[in-house]
Amino acid sequence: MAYPTNPIYKLVTTVGITTDPPVVTHAQIQEGDVTMLFPLKEGNRYYDEYKIWCDAGNTAEAAD
Amino acid sequence: MTVIRPNSISGINSITANGGDINLFRADGTKADIPIVNNITAGVITATSFSGSGANLTSIPAGNLTGTVADARLTTVSSSKLSGALPALDGSALTGVGIGTDGSVNTSGIVTATSFVSNTPFSNRNRVINGGMLINQRASSYTATGEEYLLDRFNHRTGSGFTFDTTTTQSTSAPDGFTKSLKITPDSTQTPSGSHNGMIGHLIEADNLLGFASGTSSAKSFALSFYAKSASQNNNHQYSVQLSKKNSGGTYYYQNRSFVVTSSWQRFTVVFPADTSNNIATGNGEGLRILWHLSAGPDDIASAVTSWTSSNGNHAVTGQSNFMDNTSNEFYLTGVQLEVGPVATPFEHRSFGDELIRCKRYFNMVADGSEARSGSSRSEGVIGNGFFWSSSRMMVPVKFQVTMRTPDWTLYKKNGEYRYYANGGSNQTCTQNDIGLNGQEGLNSAHLNITNISSSSAAGMFFVHDVNAALGFDAEL
């Protein structure tokens, strides 16, 4: 699965033990040679940056 | 003149001169010593010796006094009469010896006491984690243009979209008593404009700052110290350091100072005054940030701010140099210490293990394929034991070595090859994009969810499988 470069964020689902269908709880971004998978939670610094990016009118790639 | 030449005169009570002095002469006509005189009002008396009471002697010059003064004569000596260097004294019986509130004791000897009581801590003084730059869990080299963590707990920061295009490494150049430093160098030349910023940052968790008592009448000063140097190319560059405290309402109060680096290591010390007015937030969020400004646009450069001032921005000091003006520039940083009180004490060296454990609260590298021993044929690092929830889905619980700062951490997946081994040695590889979570993240453990695989086994083990792969948990501020 190729990671998208534009948009830079991709939403990710959590596959819970009892969760069916999966729900979107995370997003991920590529930083150099590292993929950062972060929760959509206030206080997470990646989420805070993601929120600013979304507020600027951007939209992340949908989850698989 | 009347001359009397008797062999002996006795019974005379008074000789009165007739308009002059009375002189005594020997038989040969020379002036004789005066044997007995009761009251001489003028002239000089010399004698082989003097005897009798000296009770009425006055105005004796101090230089004419020799010999030893009996101890009994020294009952009260005024302090104003004591001056000059003291001789070697045995002070074992001294009592009531104290030091004024503004005094200091300096000695190259050893001081012992029944107890020492201090207003500032004797241990755990340094609120900066990894100030000696020993811990570097993520990578051997960092190329960055934006926000990114580097050596543990120190991050690469930009402001207003500045292209802070640099490479950072853990250097072995260090001042005496240290072995490592953070080294950063530009990868391209850049000229900051407007509110651009290029910085190295260190953010401190709020609950680690309680000793400063900010916002109370007992507030303490912030003593910041660090070692820094430049390359010869940027010798004498002036940079800035900013201390920003975050209060419980989310507002920052800052001060800043400038410092001039040279190509030799220097220790810089800045004592920021106590702040009795503005508190520091509590909890596991950010409480304070230290920013080393290496580049700044003109809108963010002004005179040094020496009182606590409200601003959430980045502020450099007038005279700020541009670190990004030459790719041969270098900036080295180590020995970073922030402590309670008005004095910067020697750097508090903690053990490698102690420092590593502290770092893992903020970033915990669980497995790194590049850490295999030299000569090893494999680059496998164990992530954890797992089980197959279904034939296409493996679950791998991971227990953290240290409680993370927050359960809302970020999963760090270095791009590379990962592999599971199942019963009987069957195996299958996957990539970082096949590693997810199953909703059971916490402060002390995670539950990885591995997809895009297939297996008929019940259980197996999950590894990083090449030098590029690494997996960790990021709870940095």
Side-chain angles (χ1 to χ4, degrees), chain B residues 148-339:
Chain B
E148 183 173 331
Y149 265 86
L150 310 165
L151 277 63
D152 280 61
R153 305 275 27 252
F154 286 82
N155 63 358
H156 185 272
R157 304 181 69 85
T158 63
S160 302
F162 182 54
T163 304
F164 192 33
D165 182 15
T166 67
T167 292
T168 301
T169 55
Q170 184 185 44
S171 171
T172 55
S173 177
D176 291 346
F178 295 83
T179 58
K180 298 289 192 299
S181 64
L182 181 155
K183 174 189 174 186
I184 183 168
T185 187
D187 287 337
S188 63
T189 57
Q190 303 287 336
T191 301
S193 60
S195 294
H196 280 160
N197 307 105
M199 304 164 284
I200 299 295
H202 180 87
L203 279 61
I204 300 179
E205 188 175 346
D207 275 350
N208 289 347
L209 299 163
L210 296 176
F212 290 100
S214 280
T216 75
S217 59
S218 303
K220 302 290 195 303
S221 304
F222 301 77
L224 173 68
S225 55
F226 57 93
Y227 293 82
K229 74 167 189 174
S230 68
S232 57
Q233 177 65 41
N234 56 326
N235 186 49
N236 286 324
H237 260 201
Q238 176 183 310
Y239 302 127
S240 309
V241 62
Q242 175 180 345
L243 198 73
S244 287
K245 306 187 292 112
K246 186 179 183 183
N247 74 3
S248 53
T251 300
Y252 288 86
Y253 290 84
Y254 83 99
Q255 293 195 25
N256 59 6
R257 304 287 191 278
S258 63
F259 63 99
V260 176
V261 289
T262 68
S263 55
S264 299
W265 283 106
Q266 297 178 80
R267 190 185 196 206
F268 298 94
T269 297
V270 182
V271 176
F272 297 93
D275 186 355
T276 57
S277 302
N278 308 293
N279 66 14
I280 294 179
T282 57
N284 64 349
E286 180 189 346
L288 182 148
R289 59 179 58 181
I290 308 167
L291 303 174
W292 288 267
H293 290 268
L294 301 184
S295 294
D299 293 353
D300 281 344
I301 298 176
S303 299
V305 173
T306 56
S307 60
W308 295 108
T309 302
S310 171
S311 171
N312 290 4
N314 303 311
H315 301 276
V317 177
T318 303
Q320 170 80 32
S321 301
N322 177 24
F323 176 69
M324 300 298 290
D325 67 3
N326 193 299
T327 55
S328 295
N329 291 345
E330 295 169 346
F331 179 71
Y332 296 81
L333 178 68
T334 193
V336 182
Q337 180 156 285
L338 180 70
E339 54 194 309

Side-chain angles (χ1 to χ4, degrees), chain A residues 1 3 14-17 26 28 30-39 41-42 44-46 49, chain B residues 147 149 389 393 395 408-415 432-433 437-441 449 474 476-477:
Chain A
M1 180 178 68
Y3 190 81
T14 290
V15 184
I17 294 175
H26 288 69
Q28 64 182 26
Q30 193 76 27
E31 279 191 345
D33 58 353
V34 180
T35 302
M36 306 298 290
L37 177 64
F38 58 90
K41 293 279 188 67
E42 296 278 355
N44 179 290
R45 62 193 171 91
Y46 285 95
E49 290 177 13
Chain B
E147 307 279 329
Y149 265 86
W389 187 257
R393 181 178 164 200
M395 286 189 176
D408 296 327
W409 36 257
T410 297
L411 182 60
Y412 172 103
K413 304 178 290 182
K414 219 165 185 177
N415 303 347
Q432 68 283 349
N433 288 325
L437 298 162
N438 79 347
Q440 298 184 72
E441 305 93 81
N449 195 67
D474 184 331
E476 292 282 9
L477 290 160

Side-chain angles (χ1 to χ4, degrees), chain B residues 63-144:
Chain B
N64 291 354
L65 295 174
T66 61
T68 303
V69 178
D71 292 352
R73 314 313 305 170
L74 296 172
T75 54
T76 304
V77 179
S78 300
S79 60
S80 62
K81 298 297 187 291
L82 296 173
S83 64
L86 287 171
L89 296 173
D90 179 358
S92 58
L94 291 174
T95 61
V97 177
I99 302 171
T101 55
D102 58 349
S104 298
V105 175
N106 299 292
T107 178
S108 58
I110 297 170
V111 177
T112 60
T114 304
S115 65
F116 288 96
V117 179
S118 171
N119 285 337
T120 55
F122 286 123
S123 62
N124 195 30
R125 301 191 316 278
N126 193 0
R127 305 309 165 96
V128 170
I129 296 174
N130 199 29
M133 308 297 175
L134 287 175
I135 311 301
N136 183 28
Q137 293 187 81
R138 293 176 178 85
S140 59
S141 178
Y142 306 85
T143 55

Side-chain angles (χ1 to χ4, degrees), chain B residues 348-426:
Chain B
E348 182 181 44
H349 287 279
R350 292 187 281 256
S351 72
F352 186 95
D354 186 7
E355 208 76 82
L356 176 60
I357 288 296
R358 290 171 190 251
C359 288
K360 281 182 175 286
R361 175 172 172 79
Y362 304 91
F363 182 82
N364 180 10
M365 185 69 89
V366 171
D368 184 349
S370 68
E371 67 189 13
R373 66 176 171 82
S374 176
S376 173
S377 61
R378 291 183 175 178
S379 301
E380 291 181 341
V382 176
I383 296 173
N385 294 316
F387 59 93
F388 289 89
W389 187 257
S390 70
S391 61
S392 61
R393 181 178 164 200
M394 184 183 191
M395 286 189 176
V396 182
V398 178
K399 179 76 171 73
F400 301 151
Q401 295 146 311
V402 176
T403 299
M404 301 296 286
R405 182 184 64 84
T406 169
D408 296 327
W409 36 257
T410 297
L411 182 60
Y412 172 103
K413 304 178 290 182
K414 219 165 185 177
N415 303 347
E417 185 174 283
Y418 297 78
R419 174 174 288 189
Y420 78 76
Y421 286 93
N423 289 344
S426 63

